[in-house]
Amino acid sequence: QDPAGQDTKFVPWVSKILDVFAPIDPNGPPLPDLPPPTLNLSYNTPLQDAHEPPKNDIDQRLLARSLFLRERDSGEEDAYVMATVQSNERVVRAGVNTSEVRVIRVAVDEGVKYEAGDVLYLLPDQPSSRVHSLCRRLGVSRNTNVTFSRANTSHEWNPRTVGLMDLIQSTLDVNSASAGRWFIELMAYYATTTREADKLKYFCSREGSEELYEYNKREKRTVLELLSEFPSVHLPLERFLESCPVLMPRAFSIACSPHTKIQTSDKPNPALPHSRKTIEICAKVVRSVTPWGRHREGLCTGWLRNVSVGTRVAVRVEKGKFKIPPNEQKPLILVGPGTGFAPVKSLVEDRIANAKATGEWPPAPMAIFFGCRHRDKDYIYREEMEMWENNGVFTRGGGIFRAFSRDQREKRYVTDEIERQGALLWDMLEKGASIYVSGSAKSMPDDVFRSFRNVIATHGKKSLLEASRLLLSLEQKGRYVSETW
Ligand SMILES: Cc1cc2nc3c(=O)[nH]c(=O)nc-3n(C[C@H](O)[C@H](O)[C@H](O)COP(=O)(O)OP(=O)(O)OC[C@H]3O[C@@H](n4cnc5c(N)ncnc54)[C@H](O)[C@@H]3O)c2cc1C
């Protein structure tokens, strides 16, 4: 869960342990001897097409991924299914005070099941130019085929052959994740100049661990960058394959109900398959500046910016934390600022679809809290919200409460709106309402919790401690649920 990876906790822990042992060996332990590679590997480049670029086929790439992960990490991943991009629309333009946000719809086979509140995992693609650079850096042709199997195992030798490009592009993160400590230790072994070897060994030492953390993790240095900054390192292919971080799928809350027919303004595209299900996500393009001023863009969301209609992408659906039983008639309190509105939208659409299907219109009460910076810049899903209001969705109670933080002199957030609607919310809670909170994991979840605590204290006439306890008991009963990232 640590955004900077396991080494953030592991390295200081090792440091503490070494303090305990320091009196025994004041110089600390030397780098241990290099254990044998964990993969048996052979590779060759077919002569006849050595100059042809390899075929870029996502099915091949997925096969390479699953075969490789089974051998390298003994891991079985949940299967991916293929989805086809139906539309990819920028709904918020990146600006001084706003981030770029896109609504993306993909078509999946009818057999793919999902429910409101579920999460779509997308396997990002890495630019093939970066993978070519990596192959060049490792001194292998991009047309290489690799045959591998797990070493040191009592299992039968079960070699698998895949294209190296397919394997790296789908499986090994060379362009976003930072290398782990083992990768750096291997680089130290294979550095061929004393200066680079010493620097890398220093990074792996106790004294250098803080500097390594600053240089590598905090700077979000990629594997490709690391290798190019230490040009004397000649890492054998099998060592690279055993130690490079695995490319992870990225999570996006599903922003639609499976029971709602999605209205689209896009012209029908004859190239796209018909009679398939649509899944919608709403993704904010991740951008950050490192402490040394380097600009970074998220691998997956940066790729999604340019994914064109008709592209096939690998996805899988997983259960999210939000789940409401169908035909549930208790009130709902939904807090979803920014892209946190995505799962809120799926729950609301589901409730509307259920109410229509069962004839119990209008739906049970819902209080929705949405927030963004500016009404006219980053107010996503405005049309949908206004349509719900105009169609009488809130006739039985509740409504939509919006906070535009930068549209007036003093900043206003969803937390202010929650406290302003205290009487309504306390009434809903007394009638058995559940609270769902989604969006940024920074300060929002704690701030929202505090606002609900204040609401309960004021309108339920309780002490702050009693109000906190009540919220915690709601959490235990599954009536206060947060899905934050
Ligand atoms: C359940 C859930 C639902 C979500 N729903 C949404 C949603 O609806 N909309 C939305 O916009 N976002 C959502 N997110 C957040 C989204 O998954 C992240 O922002 C995601 O990281 C974006 O991917 P990216 O490749 O663009 O950025 P990344 O390249 O993943 O960069 C994001 C950060 O993670 C770090 N990082 C990346 N890989 C590694 C690694 N292997 N080890 C350590 N650090 C790493 C990067 O350095 C960077 O700081 C959700 C997340 C979760 C868990």
PDB file of all heavy atoms in Angstrom, residues 3-5 119 176-177 220 250-253 282-284 286 298-301 339 342 483 485, ligand 1:
ATOM      1  N   PRO A   3       2.831   4.139  -1.260  1.00  0.00           N
ATOM      2  CA  PRO A   3       2.989   4.588  -2.642  1.00  0.00           C
ATOM      3  C   PRO A   3       4.421   4.464  -3.134  1.00  0.00           C
ATOM      4  O   PRO A   3       4.669   4.338  -4.321  1.00  0.00           O
ATOM      5  CB  PRO A   3       2.530   6.044  -2.608  1.00  0.00           C
ATOM      6  CG  PRO A   3       2.462   6.426  -1.175  1.00  0.00           C
ATOM      7  CD  PRO A   3       2.316   5.162  -0.370  1.00  0.00           C
ATOM      8  N   ALA A   4       5.395   4.481  -2.224  1.00  0.00           N
ATOM      9  CA  ALA A   4       6.785   4.403  -2.667  1.00  0.00           C
ATOM     10  C   ALA A   4       7.304   2.970  -2.669  1.00  0.00           C
ATOM     11  O   ALA A   4       8.470   2.735  -2.926  1.00  0.00           O
ATOM     12  CB  ALA A   4       7.648   5.275  -1.780  1.00  0.00           C
ATOM     13  N   GLY A   5       6.451   2.010  -2.371  1.00  0.00           N
ATOM     14  CA  GLY A   5       6.873   0.617  -2.455  1.00  0.00           C
ATOM     15  C   GLY A   5       7.392   0.087  -1.131  1.00  0.00           C
ATOM     16  O   GLY A   5       7.583   0.825  -0.164  1.00  0.00           O
ATOM     17  N   VAL A 119     -14.636  -2.535  -9.849  1.00  0.00           N
ATOM     18  CA  VAL A 119     -13.452  -1.799 -10.306  1.00  0.00           C
ATOM     19  C   VAL A 119     -12.904  -2.483 -11.563  1.00  0.00           C
ATOM     20  O   VAL A 119     -12.839  -3.710 -11.624  1.00  0.00           O
ATOM     21  CB  VAL A 119     -12.375  -1.799  -9.187  1.00  0.00           C
ATOM     22  CG1 VAL A 119     -11.110  -1.092  -9.646  1.00  0.00           C
ATOM     23  CG2 VAL A 119     -12.923  -1.133  -7.924  1.00  0.00           C
ATOM     24  N   SER A 176       7.946   3.164 -15.672  1.00  0.00           N
ATOM     25  CA  SER A 176       7.262   3.943 -14.631  1.00  0.00           C
ATOM     26  C   SER A 176       7.704   3.553 -13.223  1.00  0.00           C
ATOM     27  O   SER A 176       8.077   4.419 -12.442  1.00  0.00           O
ATOM     28  CB  SER A 176       5.741   3.854 -14.789  1.00  0.00           C
ATOM     29  OG  SER A 176       5.171   2.872 -14.008  1.00  0.00           O
ATOM     30  N   ALA A 177       7.697   2.271 -12.890  1.00  0.00           N
ATOM     31  CA  ALA A 177       8.041   1.890 -11.510  1.00  0.00           C
ATOM     32  C   ALA A 177       9.549   2.021 -11.286  1.00  0.00           C
ATOM     33  O   ALA A 177      10.336   1.873 -12.219  1.00  0.00           O
ATOM     34  CB  ALA A 177       7.609   0.456 -11.256  1.00  0.00           C
ATOM     35  N   LYS A 220      11.178   8.951  -8.576  1.00  0.00           N
ATOM     36  CA  LYS A 220      10.411   8.110  -9.501  1.00  0.00           C
ATOM     37  C   LYS A 220      11.274   7.750 -10.716  1.00  0.00           C
ATOM     38  O   LYS A 220      10.861   7.893 -11.867  1.00  0.00           O
ATOM     39  CB  LYS A 220       9.127   8.805  -9.947  1.00  0.00           C
ATOM     40  CG  LYS A 220       8.211   9.208  -8.798  1.00  0.00           C
ATOM     41  CD  LYS A 220       6.928   9.800  -9.321  1.00  0.00           C
ATOM     42  CE  LYS A 220       6.138  10.571  -8.283  1.00  0.00           C
ATOM     43  NZ  LYS A 220       5.752   9.855  -7.105  1.00  0.00           N
ATOM     44  N   ARG A 250      -3.682  -1.120 -13.578  1.00  0.00           N
ATOM     45  CA  ARG A 250      -4.139   0.034 -12.799  1.00  0.00           C
ATOM     46  C   ARG A 250      -5.655  -0.040 -12.601  1.00  0.00           C
ATOM     47  O   ARG A 250      -6.379  -0.453 -13.511  1.00  0.00           O
ATOM     48  CB  ARG A 250      -3.820   1.322 -13.534  1.00  0.00           C
ATOM     49  CG  ARG A 250      -2.434   1.924 -13.442  1.00  0.00           C
ATOM     50  CD  ARG A 250      -1.267   1.094 -13.170  1.00  0.00           C
ATOM     51  NE  ARG A 250      -0.031   1.899 -13.212  1.00  0.00           N
ATOM     52  CZ  ARG A 250       1.166   1.422 -13.393  1.00  0.00           C
ATOM     53  NH1 ARG A 250       1.356   0.123 -13.543  1.00  0.00           N
ATOM     54  NH2 ARG A 250       2.218   2.220 -13.421  1.00  0.00           N
ATOM     55  N   ALA A 251      -6.091   0.416 -11.418  1.00  0.00           N
ATOM     56  CA  ALA A 251      -7.511   0.297 -11.044  1.00  0.00           C
ATOM     57  C   ALA A 251      -8.286   1.564 -11.400  1.00  0.00           C
ATOM     58  O   ALA A 251      -7.792   2.674 -11.163  1.00  0.00           O
ATOM     59  CB  ALA A 251      -7.602   0.065  -9.537  1.00  0.00           C
ATOM     60  N   PHE A 252      -9.477   1.389 -11.942  1.00  0.00           N
ATOM     61  CA  PHE A 252     -10.387   2.516 -12.184  1.00  0.00           C
ATOM     62  C   PHE A 252     -11.796   2.081 -11.792  1.00  0.00           C
ATOM     63  O   PHE A 252     -12.265   1.029 -12.246  1.00  0.00           O
ATOM     64  CB  PHE A 252     -10.345   2.953 -13.655  1.00  0.00           C
ATOM     65  CG  PHE A 252      -8.989   3.474 -14.045  1.00  0.00           C
ATOM     66  CD1 PHE A 252      -8.040   2.626 -14.596  1.00  0.00           C
ATOM     67  CD2 PHE A 252      -8.635   4.786 -13.794  1.00  0.00           C
ATOM     68  CE1 PHE A 252      -6.767   3.078 -14.904  1.00  0.00           C
ATOM     69  CE2 PHE A 252      -7.359   5.254 -14.103  1.00  0.00           C
ATOM     70  CZ  PHE A 252      -6.426   4.404 -14.658  1.00  0.00           C
ATOM     71  N   SER A 253     -12.447   2.876 -10.953  1.00  0.00           N
ATOM     72  CA  SER A 253     -13.808   2.533 -10.539  1.00  0.00           C
ATOM     73  C   SER A 253     -14.721   2.582 -11.751  1.00  0.00           C
ATOM     74  O   SER A 253     -14.639   3.523 -12.549  1.00  0.00           O
ATOM     75  CB  SER A 253     -14.316   3.545  -9.515  1.00  0.00           C
ATOM     76  OG  SER A 253     -13.465   3.555  -8.409  1.00  0.00           O
ATOM     77  N   CYS A 282     -13.697   6.892 -15.570  1.00  0.00           N
ATOM     78  CA  CYS A 282     -13.381   8.320 -15.622  1.00  0.00           C
ATOM     79  C   CYS A 282     -11.995   8.470 -15.000  1.00  0.00           C
ATOM     80  O   CYS A 282     -11.819   8.237 -13.805  1.00  0.00           O
ATOM     81  CB  CYS A 282     -14.434   9.067 -14.803  1.00  0.00           C
ATOM     82  SG  CYS A 282     -14.126  10.819 -14.724  1.00  0.00           S
ATOM     83  N   ALA A 283     -10.998   8.796 -15.826  1.00  0.00           N
ATOM     84  CA  ALA A 283      -9.609   8.743 -15.361  1.00  0.00           C
ATOM     85  C   ALA A 283      -8.963  10.117 -15.357  1.00  0.00           C
ATOM     86  O   ALA A 283      -9.054  10.855 -16.340  1.00  0.00           O
ATOM     87  CB  ALA A 283      -8.805   7.812 -16.264  1.00  0.00           C
ATOM     88  N   LYS A 284      -8.319  10.430 -14.250  1.00  0.00           N
ATOM     89  CA  LYS A 284      -7.537  11.677 -14.183  1.00  0.00           C
ATOM     90  C   LYS A 284      -6.097  11.358 -14.575  1.00  0.00           C
ATOM     91  O   LYS A 284      -5.509  10.399 -14.059  1.00  0.00           O
ATOM     92  CB  LYS A 284      -7.567  12.217 -12.755  1.00  0.00           C
ATOM     93  CG  LYS A 284      -6.820  13.519 -12.606  1.00  0.00           C
ATOM     94  CD  LYS A 284      -7.006  14.082 -11.234  1.00  0.00           C
ATOM     95  CE  LYS A 284      -5.724  13.887 -10.452  1.00  0.00           C
ATOM     96  NZ  LYS A 284      -5.741  14.529  -9.155  1.00  0.00           N
ATOM     97  N   VAL A 286      -2.441  11.300 -14.322  1.00  0.00           N
ATOM     98  CA  VAL A 286      -1.568  11.535 -13.162  1.00  0.00           C
ATOM     99  C   VAL A 286      -0.338  12.317 -13.616  1.00  0.00           C
ATOM    100  O   VAL A 286       0.387  11.881 -14.510  1.00  0.00           O
ATOM    101  CB  VAL A 286      -1.112  10.185 -12.552  1.00  0.00           C
ATOM    102  CG1 VAL A 286      -0.130  10.410 -11.414  1.00  0.00           C
ATOM    103  CG2 VAL A 286      -2.304   9.374 -12.084  1.00  0.00           C
ATOM    104  N   GLY A 298       1.765   9.651 -15.306  1.00  0.00           N
ATOM    105  CA  GLY A 298       1.392   8.269 -15.013  1.00  0.00           C
ATOM    106  C   GLY A 298       1.469   7.422 -16.274  1.00  0.00           C
ATOM    107  O   GLY A 298       1.074   7.869 -17.352  1.00  0.00           O
ATOM    108  N   LEU A 299       1.964   6.203 -16.131  1.00  0.00           N
ATOM    109  CA  LEU A 299       2.124   5.341 -17.307  1.00  0.00           C
ATOM    110  C   LEU A 299       0.767   5.034 -17.949  1.00  0.00           C
ATOM    111  O   LEU A 299       0.569   5.199 -19.148  1.00  0.00           O
ATOM    112  CB  LEU A 299       2.818   4.036 -16.890  1.00  0.00           C
ATOM    113  CG  LEU A 299       2.973   3.009 -17.997  1.00  0.00           C
ATOM    114  CD1 LEU A 299       4.000   3.468 -19.013  1.00  0.00           C
ATOM    115  CD2 LEU A 299       3.368   1.657 -17.437  1.00  0.00           C
ATOM    116  N   CYS A 300      -0.176   4.592 -17.119  1.00  0.00           N
ATOM    117  CA  CYS A 300      -1.453   4.135 -17.671  1.00  0.00           C
ATOM    118  C   CYS A 300      -2.308   5.318 -18.131  1.00  0.00           C
ATOM    119  O   CYS A 300      -2.826   5.327 -19.248  1.00  0.00           O
ATOM    120  CB  CYS A 300      -2.197   3.319 -16.614  1.00  0.00           C
ATOM    121  SG  CYS A 300      -3.706   2.598 -17.221  1.00  0.00           S
ATOM    122  N   THR A 301      -2.423   6.337 -17.270  1.00  0.00           N
ATOM    123  CA  THR A 301      -3.292   7.453 -17.652  1.00  0.00           C
ATOM    124  C   THR A 301      -2.657   8.263 -18.781  1.00  0.00           C
ATOM    125  O   THR A 301      -3.372   8.810 -19.625  1.00  0.00           O
ATOM    126  CB  THR A 301      -3.619   8.336 -16.429  1.00  0.00           C
ATOM    127  OG1 THR A 301      -2.408   8.667 -15.752  1.00  0.00           O
ATOM    128  CG2 THR A 301      -4.549   7.620 -15.464  1.00  0.00           C
ATOM    129  N   THR A 339     -12.747  12.710  -9.479  1.00  0.00           N
ATOM    130  CA  THR A 339     -13.027  11.420 -10.117  1.00  0.00           C
ATOM    131  C   THR A 339     -13.614  10.426  -9.115  1.00  0.00           C
ATOM    132  O   THR A 339     -14.037   9.343  -9.507  1.00  0.00           O
ATOM    133  CB  THR A 339     -11.755  10.818 -10.746  1.00  0.00           C
ATOM    134  OG1 THR A 339     -10.712  10.877  -9.782  1.00  0.00           O
ATOM    135  CG2 THR A 339     -11.336  11.554 -12.000  1.00  0.00           C
ATOM    136  N   ALA A 342     -16.951   8.766  -9.902  1.00  0.00           N
ATOM    137  CA  ALA A 342     -17.180   7.622 -10.802  1.00  0.00           C
ATOM    138  C   ALA A 342     -17.987   6.505 -10.130  1.00  0.00           C
ATOM    139  O   ALA A 342     -19.051   6.118 -10.645  1.00  0.00           O
ATOM    140  CB  ALA A 342     -15.845   7.109 -11.336  1.00  0.00           C
ATOM    141  N   GLU A 483     -13.816   4.104  -0.450  1.00  0.00           N
ATOM    142  CA  GLU A 483     -12.989   3.549  -1.543  1.00  0.00           C
ATOM    143  C   GLU A 483     -12.133   4.717  -2.011  1.00  0.00           C
ATOM    144  O   GLU A 483     -12.600   5.588  -2.743  1.00  0.00           O
ATOM    145  CB  GLU A 483     -13.894   3.052  -2.671  1.00  0.00           C
ATOM    146  CG  GLU A 483     -13.160   2.506  -3.878  1.00  0.00           C
ATOM    147  CD  GLU A 483     -12.943   1.001  -3.831  1.00  0.00           C
ATOM    148  OE1 GLU A 483     -11.936   0.591  -3.218  1.00  0.00           O
ATOM    149  OE2 GLU A 483     -13.762   0.262  -4.393  1.00  0.00           O
ATOM    150  N   TRP A 485      -8.089   6.411  -3.145  1.00  0.00           N
ATOM    151  CA  TRP A 485      -6.830   6.057  -3.807  1.00  0.00           C
ATOM    152  C   TRP A 485      -5.882   7.241  -3.860  1.00  0.00           C
ATOM    153  O   TRP A 485      -6.281   8.346  -3.629  1.00  0.00           O
ATOM    154  CB  TRP A 485      -7.115   5.564  -5.228  1.00  0.00           C
ATOM    155  CG  TRP A 485      -7.954   6.496  -6.042  1.00  0.00           C
ATOM    156  CD1 TRP A 485      -7.526   7.590  -6.745  1.00  0.00           C
ATOM    157  CD2 TRP A 485      -9.373   6.425  -6.250  1.00  0.00           C
ATOM    158  NE1 TRP A 485      -8.574   8.193  -7.376  1.00  0.00           N
ATOM    159  CE2 TRP A 485      -9.726   7.499  -7.095  1.00  0.00           C
ATOM    160  CE3 TRP A 485     -10.379   5.562  -5.803  1.00  0.00           C
ATOM    161  CZ2 TRP A 485     -11.046   7.747  -7.507  1.00  0.00           C
ATOM    162  CZ3 TRP A 485     -11.685   5.810  -6.217  1.00  0.00           C
ATOM    163  CH2 TRP A 485     -12.003   6.891  -7.061  1.00  0.00           C
TER     164      TRP A 485
HETATM  165  C1  LIG B   1      -9.894   0.836  -6.114  1.00  0.00           C
HETATM  166  C2  LIG B   1      -9.327   1.989  -6.909  1.00  0.00           C
HETATM  167  C3  LIG B   1     -10.147   2.732  -7.730  1.00  0.00           C
HETATM  168  C4  LIG B   1      -9.624   3.795  -8.471  1.00  0.00           C
HETATM  169  N1  LIG B   1     -10.453   4.519  -9.273  1.00  0.00           N
HETATM  170  C5  LIG B   1      -9.959   5.548  -9.995  1.00  0.00           C
HETATM  171  C6  LIG B   1     -10.814   6.311 -10.847  1.00  0.00           C
HETATM  172  O1  LIG B   1     -12.012   6.056 -10.961  1.00  0.00           O
HETATM  173  N2  LIG B   1     -10.264   7.335 -11.557  1.00  0.00           N
HETATM  174  C7  LIG B   1      -8.928   7.655 -11.454  1.00  0.00           C
HETATM  175  O2  LIG B   1      -8.486   8.590 -12.124  1.00  0.00           O
HETATM  176  N3  LIG B   1      -8.096   6.951 -10.637  1.00  0.00           N
HETATM  177  C8  LIG B   1      -8.576   5.903  -9.922  1.00  0.00           C
HETATM  178  N4  LIG B   1      -7.741   5.183  -9.112  1.00  0.00           N
HETATM  179  C9  LIG B   1      -6.333   5.594  -9.015  1.00  0.00           C
HETATM  180  C10 LIG B   1      -5.499   5.023 -10.168  1.00  0.00           C
HETATM  181  O3  LIG B   1      -5.504   3.611 -10.111  1.00  0.00           O
HETATM  182  C11 LIG B   1      -4.050   5.516 -10.004  1.00  0.00           C
HETATM  183  O4  LIG B   1      -4.013   6.911 -10.119  1.00  0.00           O
HETATM  184  C12 LIG B   1      -3.109   4.881 -11.000  1.00  0.00           C
HETATM  185  O5  LIG B   1      -1.831   4.805 -10.410  1.00  0.00           O
HETATM  186  C13 LIG B   1      -2.950   5.638 -12.273  1.00  0.00           C
HETATM  187  O6  LIG B   1      -2.051   4.895 -13.076  1.00  0.00           O
HETATM  188  P1  LIG B   1      -0.855   5.564 -13.880  1.00  0.00           P
HETATM  189  O7  LIG B   1      -0.129   4.428 -14.509  1.00  0.00           O
HETATM  190  O8  LIG B   1      -1.352   6.630 -14.754  1.00  0.00           O
HETATM  191  O9  LIG B   1       0.043   6.244 -12.788  1.00  0.00           O
HETATM  192  P2  LIG B   1       1.320   5.526 -12.164  1.00  0.00           P
HETATM  193  O10 LIG B   1       2.387   5.391 -13.191  1.00  0.00           O
HETATM  194  O11 LIG B   1       0.856   4.284 -11.482  1.00  0.00           O
HETATM  195  O12 LIG B   1       1.789   6.574 -11.123  1.00  0.00           O
HETATM  196  C14 LIG B   1       1.061   6.789  -9.924  1.00  0.00           C
HETATM  197  C15 LIG B   1       2.025   6.746  -8.755  1.00  0.00           C
HETATM  198  O13 LIG B   1       2.366   5.391  -8.414  1.00  0.00           O
HETATM  199  C16 LIG B   1       3.791   5.210  -8.414  1.00  0.00           C
HETATM  200  N5  LIG B   1       4.052   3.820  -8.885  1.00  0.00           N
HETATM  201  C17 LIG B   1       3.673   3.265 -10.053  1.00  0.00           C
HETATM  202  N6  LIG B   1       4.043   1.960 -10.123  1.00  0.00           N
HETATM  203  C18 LIG B   1       4.666   1.681  -8.959  1.00  0.00           C
HETATM  204  C19 LIG B   1       5.267   0.506  -8.399  1.00  0.00           C
HETATM  205  N7  LIG B   1       5.274  -0.669  -9.059  1.00  0.00           N
HETATM  206  N8  LIG B   1       5.822   0.594  -7.158  1.00  0.00           N
HETATM  207  C20 LIG B   1       5.794   1.762  -6.476  1.00  0.00           C
HETATM  208  N9  LIG B   1       5.235   2.894  -6.952  1.00  0.00           N
HETATM  209  C21 LIG B   1       4.679   2.871  -8.160  1.00  0.00           C
HETATM  210  C22 LIG B   1       4.290   6.290  -9.348  1.00  0.00           C
HETATM  211  O14 LIG B   1       5.620   6.632  -9.093  1.00  0.00           O
HETATM  212  C23 LIG B   1       3.324   7.444  -9.028  1.00  0.00           C
HETATM  213  O15 LIG B   1       3.685   8.119  -7.873  1.00  0.00           O
HETATM  214  C24 LIG B   1      -8.245   4.119  -8.373  1.00  0.00           C
HETATM  215  C25 LIG B   1      -7.413   3.360  -7.549  1.00  0.00           C
HETATM  216  C26 LIG B   1      -7.938   2.314  -6.826  1.00  0.00           C
HETATM  217  C27 LIG B   1      -7.012   1.518  -5.954  1.00  0.00           C
END
